[in-house]
Amino acid sequence: MIMKSSVPVVALIALVVSRVQAFISVGGSGNTHVTITRSAVLAKIREVCEAVAESEGRDFTPTGPSEEELLHACLGRATGEVSGAKFRTALNQIYKQNGIVDQDFMSSAPHHFNNEAFNEGHNLIIQGTAAIKANVHTDNFQSARETLGRVCHTLQDFYSHSNWVELGNESPYANLIRPDLNIEKIADIAMETCSDCASGTCPNQLLPAILNGKYLTSGYMGLFSPEKPQGKCSHGGETDLSSSHNPRGGISKDESHSYNANLHKHAVNLASEATMELLEDIRGAIGNNNYLRLMGIARSAVLAFVIDTTGSMADDIAEAKRVAFNIIDSKKGTQDEPSEYILVPFNDPEFGPLIRTTDPDVLKSEISKISPNGGGDIPEMSLSALQLALTAAPSSSYIYVFTDAPPKDTHLETTITALTRSTKSTVSFLLTPQSRSRRALSASSQFQMYYDMALASGGQAIEVSKSSISQATDIIVDTSTSALVTILQCSRDPGRIENFPFLLDRSVSNTTIYITGTGLTFNLRSPTGVTQSNTVVNGILGTIQRVGNLQRIQLNGTETGLWHIDMTTTRPYTIKVMGQSAITFIYDFVEEFKGPHPGFAAIDGRPSTGSPAKLLLTLTGEKGPEALELQEVTLMEVSGVKVSKGTTEKMANGDYLVTVNDVPEGEFVVMLKGKDKTFTSLFQRQTTTLMSQSKVIIKAIADSSMLPGQEFKLSFTVTTNGTSGTYTIRARNDKNIPMKHPSTLSLSGGSAQGTVSLTPPSNTVSGTDVTLTIEAESPGGSDSNYAVLRLSVLSK
């Protein structure tokens, strides 16, 4: 690998060194896989943005070097806030998978072009590139990004692990990204390639016959054994056991040393050029507009509806149509115009199909086709439809479910929770219980499931009559805007008399407060001490709209400073304060891994109980992270009072490694406080997705595509530092592909392995994205965890 991997997000085009996550090496410095990938990615984005701007007859003039300013110039929008959060999230999906190759495929020779595995490494690049293009053509951008990150890693390793540089080549090896060409002149297994180097620091160990004959070779990596074929080069370094066996030493150019500085520099340059060539190949296949979507350059709002179509839903469907059409028509051509539209109808026993489009006229046409029909028993297939929406929508989307019935498919509850945590998407429910079934619904624990899911994702569960649903849908208009941020979110059940402070800064506009619950009393207090009671509908501080169990308060002004909500009730309630601002943050929980290139990798699932929680956190703002200062990060119990403060280590370009030793035992959110240095204004931001720790860990790795009509097997491991015994295993996918998996695993030794097999139908469209969720639950159901994987079906 050309260097060890580094943290996501950086200054434009510059190769920057930072010390952070599993994307980077512990204590690493110099060029890394991520700095090379980032440099190429941003350079190609700038190139494509310029081409698009020229074709549209407008200027492309970023006001500064940050990604945020590049994004703003590329979108070419003069009005509305632009948030860099989704752009950086998309880029991080590439960088994260790029760096994680060193963890998940540490001992795989083809992934690193070790052990002369040239044909196998070439196949990984070719198959991965084909999957990227197929995924893009089916709008599966996240899968495409993740595959791109892994392909870039393998491609770049060719130049630091092979002898391509030593052979005098001045340009990248074009055959690596060409499916119609083979890798030429690979040294035979019996051909000796290196001379012995007792010091391990020889400038060139390659034998004259290799150099003169222009034979390709690469170092052998002995992670677990010193054995290697006679006369073969080693990779080199402390973790390579083979480097102490003749011929000793190594030919790796991963890092720059006095004896290989020029070779390392040359390898970095060729890896950068090769990455640019790969990106250009992909751009040529998918076009400029899709290339920018692949890179996360789009307006941030996504409009996603999940709609019950049973006979009793006529009023609700009519209102969903009205709201959708209003948003489409009123926001067309503005910064708040949704970048994507998603619609999933459901009934019983049917749900779907999922409609996903960037064309507002297509959504209008599809939603106009919906007509209420059928029904019978009350419960419907709402969670199956929601699962489709969660797996199709981009991460951090807002999804709205319209229904008047509880879920029939309650077995999907834990899957929905896993998906909302994995995607960080927010789900809100607009509930209009049928009058004839109100008693049954209020007594049903299944109906409570919607409230629990809304809270877990940071959404709202709004219960209103069918005649007043039009008032409740204002919340959809509120959240179908760009640059939406959460200032505060909390829940109390049972409620208690309590004061909730929240900080508004100069960048925040259109602040709205949502308080859900029945029979609630409270006072709103401004930084200057002005108060307004909930009984005053049109007050000096804001306008209060009541509908069902929701009170929506729109603040009149933009007074900055510390506001307060004084709750004076003991009934259960939830509070959420939102606004529009370019200042926000993205984060991942991470864990440290060891090996030749150690680092930190993002955790797919809940972080582990019994150890400090670590987060990799990135600030973003209108002028980039350099205009912002992080002051405090805490984990805050959403339903309690415990606040656990983290220690922060500043990396580069707005990145921080946060360590929290005393993690709350219950569910918590991440709270951040900082300063906008441009205005010397303090700000507060909070995540919406609830998280908690677990003693259960699930690990699963997939790096190959599924073939239509053929069985695909995926191994996974379940470990625990808690209760041993028989664990319940559940696995589900969002495309209803036939699956087999063990229903239980015995963890008597604290660990067990299982296999999930999927067989996509032979007529599955190439590029189809499949989201697989694997869950493990401890004996008695007291603890559980999950892994969410994105798989692709790719025809030969």
Side-chain angles (χ1 to χ4, degrees):
M1 120 183 188
I2 271 210
M3 55 226 167
K4 318 167 194 178
S5 307
S6 165
V7 49
V9 190
V10 264
L12 182 62
I13 313 303
L15 289 177
V16 184
V17 180
S18 71
R19 192 187 156 252
V20 329
Q21 69 192 118
F23 323 124
I24 117 185
S25 322
V26 173
S29 63
N31 300 302
T32 74
H33 275 293
V34 172
T35 60
I36 285 180
T37 303
R38 178 187 300 130
S39 175
V41 161
L42 293 176
K44 184 59 65 176
I45 287 173
R46 174 180 284 268
E47 186 180 311
V48 176
C49 287
E50 287 177 330
V52 171
E54 184 179 353
S55 70
E56 295 177 353
R58 58 179 174 84
D59 291 333
F60 173 74
T61 52
T63 57
S66 70
E67 280 101 328
E68 289 80 0
E69 289 160 308
L70 172 64
L71 170 67
H72 208 303
C74 195
L75 287 173
R77 299 280 179 161
T79 59
E81 291 280 2
V82 175
S83 171
K86 290 198 174 183
F87 181 34
R88 286 184 176 268
T89 297
L91 295 182
N92 282 2
Q93 288 168 351
I94 299 172
Y95 305 150
K96 187 163 61 174
Q97 289 297 317
N98 181 299
I100 213 169
V101 171
D102 279 327
Q103 178 194 29
D104 288 352
F105 305 101
M106 183 190 306
S107 59
S108 169
H111 282 85
H112 306 281
F113 280 107
N114 291 333
N115 305 8
E116 298 178 319
F118 291 107
N119 290 324
E120 298 86 347
H122 179 229
N123 286 338
L124 285 177
I125 293 171
I126 297 306
Q127 292 170 7
T129 304
I132 293 165
K133 296 171 183 176
N135 283 147
V136 169
H137 285 305
T138 52
D139 288 338
N140 297 314
F141 291 100
Q142 182 172 339
S143 289
R145 293 179 197 121
E146 292 177 352
T147 304
L148 176 60
R150 295 192 295 268
V151 168
C152 284
H153 188 116
T154 299
L155 177 66
Q156 292 158 5
D157 266 351
F158 173 83
Y159 298 96
S160 66
H161 292 193
S162 79
N163 65 332
W164 182 258
V165 170
E166 289 90 333
L167 292 179
N169 293 293
E170 296 295 329
S171 58
Y173 191 17
N175 294 28
L176 288 174
I177 62 172
R178 291 280 299 274
D180 56 329
L181 298 177
N182 297 320
I183 305 301
E184 300 168 335
K185 295 204 73 171
I186 302 171
D188 185 82
I189 187 65
M191 184 181 292
E192 296 189 359
T193 56
C194 265
S195 59
D196 185 46
C197 175
S199 67
T201 60
C202 300
N204 193 346
Q205 296 180 240
L206 292 160
L207 295 174
I210 298 298
L211 295 173
N212 296 334
K214 301 290 184 182
Y215 286 102
L216 264 182
T217 186
S218 64
Y220 279 72
M221 171 61 87
L223 288 177
F224 309 108
S225 167
E227 299 302 321
K228 64 180 177 182
Q230 183 176 344
K232 290 295 185 182
C233 303
S234 289
H235 177 85
E238 295 180 359
T239 57
D240 177 14
L241 301 179
S242 79
S243 64
S244 61
H245 281 215
N246 282 342
R248 291 167 292 181
I251 63 169
S252 163
K253 293 163 286 295
D254 281 345
E255 298 175 77
S256 180
H257 301 286
S258 58
Y259 62 90
N260 75 345
N262 288 334
L263 293 174
H264 168 77
K265 182 179 179 181
H266 195 176
V268 169
N269 290 337
L270 289 184
S272 300
E273 290 180 41
T275 306
M276 286 288 284
E277 290 182 358
L278 173 68
L279 296 175
E280 179 58 28
D281 176 74
I282 293 168
R283 171 200 179 182
I286 65 178
N288 285 345
N289 290 332
N290 270 337
Y291 185 84
L292 294 182
R293 291 180 69 200
L294 172 64
M295 294 299 155
I297 295 183
R299 296 171 301 281
S300 58
V302 173
L303 188 62
F305 284 166
V306 179
I307 301 178
D308 186 342
T309 62
T310 49
S312 59
M313 287 290 292
D315 293 342
D316 308 65
I317 293 171
E319 178 59 19
K321 289 179 181 178
R322 186 193 68 80
V323 173
F325 287 11
N326 176 54
I327 290 172
I328 290 169
D329 294 336
S330 65
K331 300 192 175 186
K332 191 171 185 179
T334 73
Q335 189 61 54
D336 288 336
E337 180 182 352
S339 58
E340 193 170 13
Y341 303 91
I342 291 172
L343 174 65
V344 188
F346 67 91
N347 203 297
D348 182 22
E350 304 297 328
F351 60 92
L354 179 137
I355 293 100
R356 179 171 56 185
T357 178
T358 58
D359 187 340
D361 292 328
V362 171
L363 180 73
K364 278 188 171 184
S365 174
E366 292 294 338
I367 205 169
S368 293
K369 296 176 186 176
I370 295 178
S371 59
N373 64 84
D377 62 332
I378 295 171
E380 311 294 352
M381 300 295 282
S382 55
L383 302 190
S384 296
L386 178 55
Q387 180 186 18
L388 287 181
L390 280 166
T391 55
S395 59
S396 303
S397 291
Y398 286 82
I399 299 170
Y400 297 93
V401 181
F402 287 76
T403 186
D404 61 1
K408 174 172 284 188
D409 41 7
T410 55
H411 62 281
L412 289 176
E413 179 183 12
T414 55
T415 300
I416 297 298
T417 301
L419 289 173
T420 53
R421 281 175 166 162
S422 175
T423 63
K424 300 183 176 75
S425 286
T426 302
V427 182
S428 291
F429 297 86
L430 284 91
L431 308 172
T432 53
Q434 304 170 46
S435 56
R436 63 181 174 83
S437 59
R438 184 178 299 277
R439 181 178 301 173
L441 291 175
S442 61
S444 170
S445 61
Q446 294 178 347
F447 197 60
Q448 179 64 33
M449 199 176 286
Y450 292 142
Y451 288 86
D452 296 339
M453 289 177 176
L455 177 62
S457 71
Q460 316 278 343
I462 304 167
E463 186 174 344
V464 296
S465 65
K466 291 186 178 294
S467 60
S468 59
I469 187 174
S470 61
Q471 300 171 52
T473 53
D474 282 345
I475 188 175
I476 302 176
V477 179
D478 292 343
T479 54
S480 58
T481 59
S482 61
L484 204 61
V485 295
T486 298
I487 312 295
L488 173 70
Q489 176 186 310
C490 54
S491 171
R492 296 293 183 264
D493 187 6
R496 57 175 174 263
I497 298 172
E498 192 172 347
N499 166 254
F500 296 93
F502 62 93
L503 188 64
L504 294 184
D505 61 276
R506 288 185 58 174
S507 73
V508 177
S509 61
N510 300 324
T511 305
T512 307
I513 302 169
Y514 305 95
I515 301 178
T516 57
T518 56
L520 304 181
T521 57
F522 60 87
N523 285 295
L524 182 62
R525 182 157 40 102
S526 76
T528 53
V530 178
T531 63
Q532 179 179 334
S533 165
N534 68 288
T535 59
V536 181
V537 175
N538 294 300
I540 190 170
L541 298 181
T543 302
I544 301 177
Q545 177 190 13
R546 295 190 189 87
V547 52
N549 64 332
L550 170 70
Q551 296 188 66
R552 172 176 171 265
I553 306 109
Q554 288 183 292
L555 296 190
N556 292 334
T558 55
E559 184 179 348
T560 61
L562 194 63
W563 289 68
H564 295 267
I565 300 172
D566 299 311
M567 299 299 297
T568 57
T569 182
T570 56
R571 292 173 177 267
Y573 55 82
T574 65
I575 300 172
K576 187 169 187 174
V577 182
M578 303 184 73
Q580 281 183 278
S581 169
I583 298 176
T584 187
F585 71 101
I586 58 175
Y587 72 99
D588 277 303
F589 286 95
V590 298
E591 60 186 355
E592 190 172 357
F593 67 85
K594 306 296 184 182
H597 304 292
F600 293 89
I603 296 172
D604 181 26
R606 297 161 63 195
S608 180
T609 303
S611 57
K614 291 184 180 293
L615 301 89
L616 180 73
L617 182 148
T618 302
L619 280 176
T620 174
E622 184 178 353
K623 296 294 183 182
E626 295 307 316
L628 305 172
E629 175 188 312
L630 178 65
Q631 295 184 332
E632 181 179 284
V633 179
T634 56
L635 300 183
M636 187 177 73
E637 277 187 322
V638 75
S639 299
V641 295
K642 182 169 183 177
V643 177
S644 301
K645 187 175 180 180
T647 58
T648 60
E649 181 180 355
K650 192 176 190 305
M651 308 302 173
N653 307 292
D655 299 309
Y656 296 84
L657 184 64
V658 181
T659 303
V660 184
N661 292 315
D662 185 21
V663 181
E665 293 183 4
E667 293 184 313
F668 55 82
V669 291
V670 183
M671 170 72 81
L672 177 149
K673 294 181 179 179
K675 182 169 75 172
D676 180 353
K677 292 187 282 189
T678 305
F679 301 107
T680 18
S681 174
L682 300 178
F683 65 86
Q684 169 184 322
R685 300 292 184 268
Q686 186 184 304
T687 61
T688 58
T689 309
L690 305 194
M691 184 53 74
S692 60
Q693 290 186 307
S694 173
K695 294 180 180 180
V696 185
I697 300 172
I698 302 180
K699 295 289 185 184
I701 301 169
D703 187 47
S704 60
S705 300
M706 297 185 286
L707 290 170
Q710 295 190 21
E711 186 180 38
F712 176 85
K713 292 187 177 182
L714 177 72
S715 296
F716 66 94
T717 303
V718 180
T719 57
T720 183
N721 58 4
T723 306
S724 297
T726 301
Y727 277 63
T728 301
I729 305 298
R730 290 182 286 266
R732 298 186 178 91
N733 70 81
D734 63 332
K735 298 297 188 292
N736 286 326
I737 290 175
M739 293 173 52
K740 291 184 293 186
H741 65 86
S743 58
T744 60
L745 284 178
S746 176
L747 270 64
S748 54
S751 179
Q753 191 172 63
T755 301
V756 176
S757 64
L758 303 92
T759 307
S762 56
N763 62 349
T764 305
V765 175
S766 186
T768 296
D769 179 80
V770 179
T771 300
L772 172 66
T773 307
I774 305 173
E775 304 161 33
E777 185 179 280
S778 66
S782 60
D783 196 6
S784 65
N785 211 337
Y786 61 89
V788 178
L789 297 95
R790 287 185 175 268
L791 310 172
S792 293
V793 181
L794 190 68
S795 299
K796 285 188 177 180

